[in-house]
Amino acid sequence: MARHKYKFSNKKHSVGGVISTVMAVIAAVLFGRAVAISFGARGEGGMEVGSFALSALAVAFFGCVMGILSYKESDRYYTFSFIGALFNGIMAIILIMLFVVGI
């Protein structure tokens, strides 16, 4: 017999978590654009690639902070907070490692 998961509560998703998840998508798009430009220029993308990647790092860092701070909102669902903080944190670590290797 199938079980249905009904939720009877007034909880909503945390606003900071949703913003953090949107920032994670923006960081991924910026990083993807930087990779595409670098691939198209055969590794000679220059400042354009660096500016996209640095922008992605800034967005990922602030998205991670936003996701962590969104846990302070009371009586909310924290699914988007977890997704946004995790994905932004992973993106920030990857981008920092790429910058360290590039130096």
Side-chain angles (χ1 to χ4, degrees), residues 17-78:
V18 173
I19 292 171
S20 175
T21 304
V22 169
M23 290 177 88
V25 171
I26 292 170
V29 168
L30 287 171
F31 179 65
R33 182 71 179 141
V35 169
I37 292 170
S38 179
F39 184 74
R42 296 189 174 122
E44 300 294 326
M47 289 182 60
E48 188 176 3
V49 172
S51 64
F52 274 109
L54 194 60
S55 298
L57 177 62
V59 170
F61 176 75
F62 288 118
C64 186
V65 170
M66 185 71 115
I68 292 169
L69 291 178
S70 69
Y71 281 106
K72 290 185 178 182
E73 297 178 32
S74 61
D75 198 34
R76 300 288 183 171
Y77 291 121
Y78 299 114

Side-chain angles (χ1 to χ4, degrees), residues 4-32:
H4 298 284
K5 292 185 180 181
Y6 295 111
K7 294 181 183 178
F8 297 106
S9 88
N10 294 338
K11 287 185 180 182
K12 295 181 181 178
H13 289 285
S14 66
V15 176
V18 173
I19 292 171
S20 175
T21 304
V22 169
M23 290 177 88
V25 171
I26 292 170
V29 168
L30 287 171
F31 179 65

